[in-house]
Amino acid sequence: MTIDIDGDLAAAPTSTLRRLSRGTRSERLLHVQHVPARAEVRAPWPDWVNPQVHAALAGDGISGLWSHQRETADLARAGQHVVVSTGTASGKSLGYLLPVLSDLVDGATAASGRGATALYLSPTKALAADQRARLDGWAIPGLRAATYDGDTPAEERRWIRDHAHYVLTNPDLVHHSLLPGHERWAPFLRALRYVVIDECHVYRGLFGSHLAVLLRRLRRVAARYGVCPTFVLASATVADPAQHAGALLGQPVRAVTRDGSPRESLTFGLWEPALVEGGGEHDAPHRRSAVAESADLLADLVLDGVQTVAFARSRVGVEVLATAARRTVGQVDAALEGTIAAYRGGYLPEERRALEQALRSGTLRGLAATNALELGIDVSGLDAVVLAGWPGTRASLWQQAGRAGRRGSPSLAILVAADDPLDTYLVHHPAALFDQPVEAAVVDPDNPYVLGPHLAAAAAELPLTEADGDYFGPGMLPLLDELASRGVLRRRRSGWYWTRPDRATDHVSLRGSGEPVVRIVERSSGRVLGTVDGERAHSTAHTGAVYLHQGEPHVVTQLDLEDASALVVRGDPGWSTQARTTSSFVLGRTELCCEWGPVGLAFGSVSVTSQVTSFLRRLPSGEVLGEHPLDLPPRTLATKAVWWTMPEDLLAAAGIGETDIPGAAHAAEHAAIGMLPLVATSDRWDVGGVSTALHPDTGLPTILVYDGHPGGAGFAERGFDRAVTWLTATRDAIAACECRAGCPSCVQSPKCGNGNEPLDKAGAIRLLDAVLRHAPSESSRPRA
């Protein structure tokens, strides 16, 4: 165990870690990092704050400001677009609420009519509800705040449009309701002074690209009503907040990054579950799951009197974690069993509010949560945080860790590695976590697969003209011509018009690829059990697939792609299923390329065709009962990719013969996919890969990693930009794994369409060594 100490470690977190890592757990705590305390920097109140707002805040115990709050407030008040990017529980919201609420209340007092208005956008309903509860608690005279989302009753919506000052909503509502129906919102829009975009670091990749174009549509419609609102964005720490916010907005944004809030010391432990050898011939070695390990840690912390939240990445993981921790605690002290609960999306709002209040009051001692609890909801001040697996980005890591820390007391965070190459690498290379800045968020509003449908929606809102290129960029005109040629829009002398009877916004999915989701329907009752993303339905909801719902197995009896539904019957057949997929790719235009000696590295357009051709039935022991053919259509994805080529003589010199290339390349591809999030804000499920011993477009062995979204999402390009760091870390992660021939911690993939065959762990290390032997330093690599 490595202990990195800067000053004296606080006794409580250190002693807690020692207790947790006693006995058989002694080898699991790999590293302990101390993050020192930070002193506060105070700032005086602005003299422009409305007296009623000042009085309401003072009544809530807010007697002063931190420096970043004052800087944000002054910039926004002056009409400057601004993003505040500081740590968890640093009071970012007060920085924008001071000018927003002051102007709204001033306007309501001075005007006989409505006065100024503001729009608040959050990525989740829970976050908007949390802010609404805070505003209601302040009870500022004259302020009319309202939540407007899919749950708002129809009778309340007109009142909100006509009378509310501060409307709290989400991007989906703006897309589907406010902009298409902007005439109904005209009084609100004419008075629009501020737009607040909370937790803007969430908007990255495809979702961020959609939001970026949506904000351009909002600016355009607002200008129609004679206003240019000030945009205020709040974010967790990101690499370049001004660049990210500017990419989202399409205009320059000032950044406030110096955090003036106090912070007590944080002790951070990196934890790796023990390696479990396989129990059968087909059962590969693996590590104990991060969820099971985290459940034990949560139970131990609760029994020690340490109030803790454990974050898991999925809703199922949260339920399993909470159940296991309750069971363990109940065996020791039955009275404590009821002090552990789960918190996730899908619960009723009143249930989530009750859980949040129980956590604040101390009634709950342990909570298993998804990242729904990461985004700004006011529950900071816990003693400890356990993270069941890498949360995806360093920004999320620090957001979740920041949930721990009572005022004046040190806090503890533990990252428990999942059975995944990136998790394994990070807990063995602490510098990659603690000595590196947070990631840059990737946004591409010029992606034609994103921009095109939004242009159609914009034309339905207001006819488009050439002047609108100021909002949508130089790619607008070619896309408008294409939309007109396809009959989506109609070109007239005065511009481009939407003339179809359906709603243009129905053809744009902000949070996905646009493919319809497939409903999972219980055949006997017709009840919808859940949904599966359209792009994953072929591999997870095909006829014969075993589908789990709340732990209960079901078997798919029919997949109807035209109806976007899958019929299932409840029952455990005694086996699991795994889809087999064939994939191929055709290279398009190369946009960037460079040479590492004999190795070629490139980024550009690619067309990936995949087809689910069969599925395997496996017993729990791993034994294959049989392979069954499927008749599903191929799916083609036009996207962006990074690829590299290697001559056969280079590989032969590295000890990789012609027959060894498929297994070595396949293993290197899997590990590279798993490690891409180290340099890009992607998730393993955001990207895919294909490897081949000889590709017709290159004439060489080729490994390709592609964005799993139409038109690309920026992840592959970031891999090209940081290829040396990315592939070096990939090689090191494989080599550091303790397994003999490959496991989920290094080269096996949970989504491999070929059943993780063939895989050659040793060959992958030799292949990557050969590639990296010719790599330049990261700073000197040419970009062409």
Side-chain angles (χ1 to χ4, degrees), residues 121-208:
L121 303 182
S122 73
T124 66
K125 292 180 182 179
L127 189 55
D130 190 66
Q131 177 141 149
R132 170 69 186 277
R134 173 186 283 192
L135 294 173
D136 290 346
W138 286 342
I140 301 171
L143 176 68
R144 295 192 293 269
T147 302
Y148 193 111
D149 58 29
D151 297 330
T152 305
E155 59 271 18
E156 293 182 19
R157 296 191 174 201
R158 181 172 181 177
W159 183 92
I160 293 172
R161 292 194 298 266
D162 292 344
H163 301 289
H165 297 136
Y166 193 31
V167 173
L168 299 100
T169 185
N170 52 64
D172 308 87
L173 187 284
V174 174
H175 171 62
H176 286 290
S177 180
L178 190 154
L179 291 179
H182 60 83
E183 296 91 347
R184 298 194 304 272
W185 287 85
F188 180 89
L189 289 170
R190 288 192 186 100
L192 185 61
R193 188 165 301 178
Y194 294 100
V195 177
V196 176
I197 303 171
D198 210 352
E199 304 291 354
C200 72
H201 64 283
V202 171
Y203 302 110
R204 59 182 187 265
L206 197 69
F207 189 22

Side-chain angles (χ1 to χ4, degrees), residues 328-562:
T328 300
V329 166
Q331 292 170 352
V332 178
D333 186 346
L336 288 176
E337 190 170 353
T339 66
I340 298 176
Y343 179 103
R344 61 172 179 80
Y347 288 172
L348 295 176
E350 53 269 26
E351 192 174 7
R352 291 199 301 268
R353 300 294 87 77
L355 288 168
E356 293 161 16
Q357 181 55 40
L359 198 62
R360 295 187 191 107
S361 68
T363 304
L364 276 181
R365 306 303 301 165
L367 191 70
T370 61
N371 64 357
L373 206 66
E374 171 191 329
L375 299 176
I377 298 170
D378 185 16
V379 292
S380 57
L382 301 162
D383 297 309
V385 167
V386 176
L387 295 88
W390 169 243
T393 65
R394 295 183 191 91
S396 290
L397 179 86
W398 293 113
Q399 278 282 99
Q400 293 181 6
R403 284 301 177 201
R406 296 182 184 277
R407 290 287 168 82
S409 299
S411 57
L412 172 67
I414 304 172
L415 171 62
V416 179
D419 209 1
D420 180 89
L422 182 57
D423 289 52
T424 302
Y425 177 85
L426 291 173
V427 295
H428 284 274
H429 297 79
L433 280 178
F434 301 116
D435 296 346
Q436 297 293 323
V438 294
E439 306 86 350
V442 179
V443 174
D444 182 15
D446 297 323
N447 180 340
Y449 292 86
V450 173
L451 181 57
H454 278 280
L455 289 175
E461 292 151 9
L462 296 168
L464 284 163
T465 68
E466 291 187 9
D468 288 319
D470 292 343
Y471 293 104
F472 300 113
M476 182 190 77
L477 291 177
L479 282 172
L480 289 179
D481 290 340
E482 179 184 340
L483 291 170
S485 68
R486 289 163 40 199
V488 176
L489 298 181
R490 181 171 296 176
R491 175 75 186 271
R492 294 175 179 165
R493 182 174 301 175
S494 56
W496 288 264
Y497 291 75
W498 174 265
T499 59
R500 294 169 53 166
D502 52 337
R503 287 168 50 95
T505 52
D506 290 343
H507 299 275
V508 187
S509 172
L510 298 186
R511 300 173 188 259
S513 66
E515 283 195 50
V517 297
V518 172
R519 295 167 291 117
I520 307 299
V521 181
E522 192 173 49
R523 191 175 69 177
S524 59
S525 65
R527 182 170 64 101
V528 176
L529 299 180
T531 59
V532 175
D533 293 340
E535 56 266 34
R536 296 182 64 186
H538 287 224
S539 59
T540 60
H542 57 78
T543 300
V546 176
Y547 173 82
L548 291 177
H549 177 72
Q550 295 185 354
E552 293 288 338
H554 297 71
V555 177
V556 178
T557 60
Q558 181 184 2
L559 171 61
D560 187 337
L561 293 174
E562 290 187 5

Side-chain angles (χ1 to χ4, degrees), residues 18 23 34 39 92 110 127 141 146 153 259 340 351 356 381 386 418 492 522 541 566 572 715 727 734 738:
R18 287 194 184 116
H34 177 60
K92 292 185 285 289
L127 189 55
D259 195 333
I340 298 176
E351 192 174 7
E356 293 161 16
V386 176
R492 294 175 179 165
E522 192 173 49
D572 185 357
F715 306 132
L727 297 183
I734 301 172
E738 303 169 38

Side-chain angles (χ1 to χ4, degrees), residues 3 60 71 86 102-103 211 253 255 316 323 364 383 417 455 472 493 514 590 612 628 664 667 718 722 724 739:
I3 300 183
D60 197 30
E71 186 180 357
T86 54
S102 292
D103 280 8
L211 182 85
V253 179
V316 172
T323 300
L364 276 181
D383 297 309
L455 289 175
F472 300 113
R493 182 174 301 175
T590 299
V612 175
H628 306 272
R718 189 56 57 106
R722 300 287 309 282
V724 176
C739 73

Side-chain angles (χ1 to χ4, degrees), residues 568-599:
V568 300
V569 295
R570 184 173 177 177
D572 185 357
W575 58 76
S576 62
T577 54
Q578 181 180 20
R580 302 296 298 265
T581 305
T582 60
S583 298
S584 61
F585 61 93
V586 176
L587 299 180
R589 185 171 67 91
T590 299
E591 299 179 21
L592 301 167
C593 63
C594 62
E595 293 182 353
W596 298 354
V599 176

